[in-house]
Amino acid sequence: MGSNSSRIGDLPKNEYLKKLSGTESVSENDPFWNQLLSFSFPAPTSSTELKLLEEATVSVCRSLVVNNPRTGNLGALIKVFLSRTKELKLSAECQNHIFIWQTHNALFIICCLLKVFICEMSEEELQLHFTYEEKSPGSYSSDSEDLLEELLCCLMQLITDIPLLDITYEISVEAVSTMVVFLSCQLFHKEVLRQSISHKYLMRGRCLPYTSKLVKTLLYNFIRQEKPPPPGAHVLPQQSDGGGLLYGLASGVATGLWTVFTLGGVGSKAAATPELSSPLANQSLLLLLVLANLTDAADMPNPYRQAIMSFKNTQDSSPFPSSIPHAFQINFNSLYTALCEQQTSDQATLLLYTLLHQNSNVRTYMLARTDMENLVLPILEILYHVEERNSHHVYMALIILLILTEDDGFNRSIHEVILKNITWYSERVLTEISLGSLLILVVIRTIQYNMTRTRDKYLHTNCLAALANMSAQFRSLHQYAAQRIISLFSLLSKKHNKVLEQATQSLRGSLSSNDVPLPDYAQDLNVIEEVIRMMLEIINSCLTNSLHHNPNLVYALLYKRDLFEQFRTHPSFQDIMQNIDLVITFFSSRLLQAGAELSVERVLEIIKQGAVALPKDRLKKFPELKFKYVEEEQPEEFFIPYVWSLVYNSAVGLYWNPQDIQLFTMDSD
């Protein structure tokens, strides 16, 4: 294959690929490497493009798997790359396009080959491929055992130290992607890996000192959302010669592996996945999440998680405690802005959850912001469009709300933020509503959706916990929000009556037929009564703590007073019904005294006057409703498969064959 080749099908016959994967050892000083690395192509940006590439080169890669233990050509290629990276920073400063271009190509080939090697063999076998020593073919010497560690360290240096310019953008993306590939052995195991060679290198030894710098760089890559340079802006001028896009200076050199991408193959078709505005930001965030969710080593905690848990604001001048390793500072305002803007993606929501849950500095800063609507509105929009989101994304959004509502200051302030014209809320035109009332509406909608569709008790519990945390601080509830609270209770009441009727009929039927097993209506009844009680506690908490601030809720309560009759004498609800019954009786009496045919405005006026007159000591005090989010005992069993599913489905070019994946079951679509 040369510059005249025009079909992906020709790749297995390419003479340079055949030499790389063949039975002949190629010295790292051989001119062959310059020839191999002088190829040009538009960088693959989607898993679709890389799928075609992998299918075309799989035979070559497998040939290298077989022959490399004798030839050591993979190690030679890596050594060529390592030697070039020593001059990479200087090359970037000097705008040495050719050098950076070839170094990027070397890393791209390494990444593609590593992915196949990791898929085809165990980590122990992979390590043997890195320990070949040319002086004694077929033997494994301890002198070369750190080639894998050296490559990992080199990648970390490249990510953290090379300035981000147009000419270095693609190699920065490739370095991050290669680190993700290094850790992808998890994809080929059904169980969560707790011991791994890759983990060992990343958590100790030469890589460990780069921990905080790497985490900081990945965060800043996410914050900056740098877009890739326009085609041709970061490389030498390209010219068309009819056989592909070649660098002018490389016309006499082999165009290498992937020139076919410019010849009516992948490059001529639209990608199946939407194009990302910043591949570097996306890949950096995915790598950050993978690192943060590595399991702890037997003798030390995950240092990357430690770094994420402890970093501080650049404006915080207080010293770091000596007990906190891997600490660093970052601009919280920039981080907050990026998180607000990027919540449409699962990975950004997962990062927000991670920071709120694990980093007290970030949580304190966010809760002190006076523009919390910029963060909360995107989270509410995720929940509002629950039908379009995967369940993990919805859970993360809901848990974020639960964490935020643990703070009384947040619960007060959201009712002071007035929003106008929420266009994505389609059930009703909301020309003006408080952020607190909107939050209540969206959470109630999520509960109602869950009741009719997914019926997930975990989702119910967290939704109700968030409402309960807010309930004592409800202020000036929008009339529609107040109506929806009572409407939800009405829905629960009807469901309770239906289940109770089914249980009664089933019991009667069982008297005539002892052979038919009874459905477990008792359990269903118990669950629905738990939810009803929690709703009553939420209403009671609002009435007890902020009755005079919520005339619309009292109005809705009076309008649907008949709903509560059946629960007055119910043994499960008698205690919590005392205050609600007292409020209904008190205000009903005042309305009767005012006469018939009262307007809505007049009723609200009477309620406001009555709220002042109602003696507070007549309302029974109950313990304050407070729920805290508690992570599962083994969170990695949830988060590691979740993170790797995000990596797998990323729109940026990392493709794995779904038939090879063991960690999670792929969706049919």
Side-chain angles (χ1 to χ4, degrees):
M1 173 183 168
S3 61
N4 295 323
S5 184
S6 60
R7 293 187 298 111
I8 286 182
D10 291 338
L11 280 176
K13 303 173 186 176
N14 180 285
E15 59 179 295
Y16 298 99
L17 283 177
K18 289 171 71 174
K19 185 171 182 178
L20 173 67
S21 61
T23 57
E24 177 188 348
S25 294
V26 183
S27 167
E28 61 194 87
N29 300 315
D30 196 300
F32 162 81
W33 299 110
N34 281 332
Q35 296 170 331
L36 176 68
L37 301 179
S38 296
F39 62 83
S40 166
F41 69 102
T45 58
S46 73
S47 58
T48 304
E49 294 176 359
L50 274 176
K51 178 182 178 182
L52 291 176
L53 174 62
E54 181 164 305
E55 289 172 349
T57 57
V58 66
S59 61
V60 173
C61 294
R62 286 177 176 167
S63 177
L64 184 62
V65 168
V66 173
N67 293 321
N68 187 68
R70 292 184 296 275
T71 65
N73 286 343
L74 175 61
L77 172 60
I78 290 171
K79 289 175 183 176
V80 169
F81 169 72
L82 292 174
S83 66
R84 286 172 172 269
T85 56
K86 294 173 183 176
E87 302 175 41
L88 200 57
K89 190 172 183 179
L90 181 61
S91 298
E93 294 171 356
C94 299
Q95 297 284 303
N96 189 335
H97 294 254
I98 295 179
F99 190 89
I100 294 173
W101 158 50
Q102 290 190 334
T103 307
H104 165 268
N105 289 349
L107 182 55
F108 179 79
I109 298 173
I110 290 169
C111 185
C112 292
L113 293 175
L114 276 176
K115 191 154 62 64
V116 175
F117 272 61
I118 289 170
C119 176
E120 294 282 328
M121 63 188 68
S122 68
E123 282 194 298
E124 291 74 15
E125 292 173 308
L126 176 66
Q127 195 170 35
L128 293 180
H129 282 270
F130 279 82
T131 56
Y132 173 81
E133 190 66 39
E134 187 178 352
K135 293 179 181 178
S136 51
S139 65
Y140 299 94
S141 166
S142 60
D143 295 338
S144 59
E145 284 181 355
D146 289 331
L147 185 59
L148 178 58
E149 183 178 29
E150 191 173 346
L151 178 57
L152 278 171
C153 285
C154 178
L155 291 173
M156 295 172 90
Q157 288 176 321
L158 198 160
I159 294 167
T160 58
D161 294 345
I162 302 302
L164 188 58
L165 309 170
D166 279 357
I167 60 173
T168 61
Y169 189 94
E170 284 190 8
I171 195 171
S172 296
V173 173
E174 207 60 54
V176 174
S177 297
T178 306
M179 283 202 68
V180 174
V181 167
F182 258 118
L183 292 162
S184 67
C185 54
Q186 175 65 84
L187 283 170
F188 308 103
H189 292 78
K190 291 182 180 179
E191 299 80 21
V192 170
L193 288 180
R194 301 184 183 279
Q195 288 185 331
S196 162
I197 293 172
S198 302
H199 296 188
K200 180 186 73 173
Y201 282 126
L202 287 169
M203 292 191 183
R204 53 174 59 85
R206 294 169 56 193
C207 292
L208 189 60
Y210 292 99
T211 296
S212 58
K213 197 172 183 181
L214 179 62
V215 171
K216 183 176 182 178
T217 301
L218 295 175
L219 277 172
Y220 268 126
N221 286 347
F222 166 73
I223 288 169
R224 290 169 180 147
Q225 294 289 317
E226 291 283 354
K227 295 181 179 180
H234 58 298
V235 293
L236 293 173
Q238 295 178 337
Q239 62 185 28
S240 175
D241 64 356
L245 297 179
L246 306 177
Y247 289 102
L249 293 180
S251 59
V253 183
T255 56
L257 303 180
W258 332 131
T259 303
V260 290
F261 273 97
T262 68
L263 305 173
V266 176
S268 66
K269 299 179 182 178
T273 47
E275 192 171 318
L276 291 168
S277 60
S278 178
L280 178 60
N282 183 75
Q283 294 296 80
S284 295
L285 178 52
L286 290 172
L287 176 57
L288 182 65
L289 293 172
V290 169
L291 292 171
N293 286 282
L294 294 177
T295 53
D296 294 334
D299 55 346
M300 67 176 294
N302 178 349
Y304 303 94
R305 189 183 302 124
Q306 285 185 313
I308 287 172
M309 291 172 62
S310 59
F311 70 82
K312 298 195 304 185
N313 195 354
T314 49
Q315 296 181 348
D316 187 346
S317 58
S318 61
F320 283 102
S322 57
S323 59
I324 297 181
H326 316 298
F328 63 92
Q329 291 179 293
I330 202 167
N331 188 306
F332 277 16
N333 183 61
S334 300
L335 177 61
Y336 180 80
T337 301
L339 286 167
C340 292
E341 292 174 350
Q342 300 300 319
Q343 287 306 306
T344 52
S345 75
D346 278 73
Q347 46 264 44
T349 304
L350 181 53
L351 176 63
L352 174 57
Y353 158 78
T354 302
L355 295 178
L356 276 174
H357 177 52
Q358 298 186 0
N359 190 313
S360 59
N361 300 320
V362 172
R363 183 168 61 253
T364 300
Y365 173 85
M366 288 186 176
L367 288 169
R369 294 282 303 204
T370 57
D371 59 348
M372 278 298 291
E373 67 273 16
N374 292 337
L375 187 69
V376 175
L377 281 173
I379 299 300
L380 294 182
E381 198 167 353
I382 293 168
L383 292 174
Y384 186 78
H385 297 294
V386 59
E387 307 94 339
E388 303 167 17
R389 304 290 182 183
N390 67 67
S391 59
H392 289 351
H393 199 182
V394 172
Y395 283 147
M396 288 299 101
L398 192 53
I399 292 169
I400 286 168
L401 287 184
L402 181 56
I403 292 172
L404 292 173
T405 60
E406 291 173 13
D407 183 77
D408 285 339
F410 171 83
N411 295 330
R412 284 191 297 270
S413 65
I414 55 175
H415 293 287
E416 298 168 2
V417 177
I418 304 301
L419 308 169
K420 296 182 184 295
N421 300 318
I422 307 300
T423 55
W424 49 261
Y425 193 94
S426 58
E427 270 89 343
R428 178 168 172 152
V429 176
L430 300 175
T431 54
E432 187 171 286
I433 189 171
S434 71
L435 179 59
S437 289
L438 181 64
L439 196 159
I440 292 167
L441 285 175
V442 172
V443 171
I444 287 176
R445 184 180 184 274
T446 305
I447 294 172
Q448 290 179 323
Y449 174 84
N450 186 50
M451 286 176 65
T452 57
R453 303 284 184 86
T454 57
R455 300 183 181 181
D456 186 329
K457 185 180 179 182
Y458 181 83
L459 201 66
H460 266 334
T461 303
N462 282 282
C463 284
L464 291 168
L467 288 177
N469 285 346
M470 296 168 58
S471 59
Q473 305 293 338
F474 283 172
R475 294 290 188 276
S476 304
L477 289 183
H478 191 279
Q479 61 179 15
Y480 186 52
Q483 290 170 18
R484 298 308 294 161
I485 291 173
I486 304 304
S487 294
L488 175 58
F489 185 81
S490 174
L491 186 65
L492 293 167
S493 176
K494 290 176 183 176
K495 191 172 182 65
H496 178 267
N497 292 339
K498 182 179 179 180
V499 174
L500 193 60
E501 183 181 345
Q502 288 172 336
T504 304
Q505 290 177 351
S506 177
L507 188 61
R508 287 172 182 167
S510 68
L511 296 177
S512 58
S513 177
N514 294 325
D515 299 329
V516 180
L518 285 175
D520 193 2
Y521 289 114
Q523 183 177 352
D524 291 346
L525 198 61
N526 183 55
V527 171
I528 194 69
E529 287 186 354
E530 282 181 13
V531 176
I532 287 175
R533 179 169 180 88
M534 201 160 179
M535 278 302 301
L536 289 171
E537 287 177 340
I538 289 168
I539 295 169
N540 177 75
S541 175
C542 176
L543 297 177
T544 306
N545 293 283
S546 52
L547 173 68
H548 57 294
H549 289 299
N550 292 290
N552 283 326
L553 181 62
V554 176
Y555 183 98
L557 200 64
L558 293 171
Y559 190 74
K560 292 284 188 178
R561 71 190 82 176
D562 293 344
L563 281 175
F564 299 88
E565 280 294 325
Q566 61 179 307
F567 300 107
R568 292 176 64 186
T569 57
H570 195 291
S572 297
F573 311 117
Q574 270 184 314
D575 59 334
I576 204 71
M577 275 297 302
Q578 289 181 33
N579 287 340
I580 297 173
D581 193 35
L582 187 153
V583 168
I584 289 174
T585 303
F586 177 83
F587 284 98
S588 295
S589 173
R590 294 183 74 92
L591 290 176
L592 282 173
Q593 294 172 15
E597 302 297 328
L598 299 174
S599 66
V600 173
E601 291 76 13
R602 177 59 182 150
V603 171
L604 286 172
E605 184 182 341
I606 292 170
I607 289 172
K608 290 175 184 177
Q609 293 170 352
V612 176
L614 177 65
K616 300 296 185 293
D617 56 0
R618 291 180 60 187
L619 294 173
K620 181 182 176 182
K621 289 292 183 182
F622 286 86
E624 184 181 5
L625 293 178
K626 271 298 173 186
F627 294 88
K628 282 188 172 290
Y629 167 67
V630 179
E631 200 169 66
E632 298 293 330
E633 288 186 10
Q634 289 188 308
E636 61 269 17
E637 301 292 343
F638 169 85
F639 286 103
I640 290 178
Y642 179 29
V643 169
W644 278 106
S645 71
L646 298 181
V647 174
Y648 181 92
N649 292 307
S650 172
V652 176
L654 282 176
Y655 169 76
W656 285 273
N657 190 329
Q659 295 178 345
D660 298 326
I661 304 304
Q662 298 293 316
L663 181 62
F664 49 83
T665 303
M666 301 308 302
D667 294 330
S668 57
D669 57 354

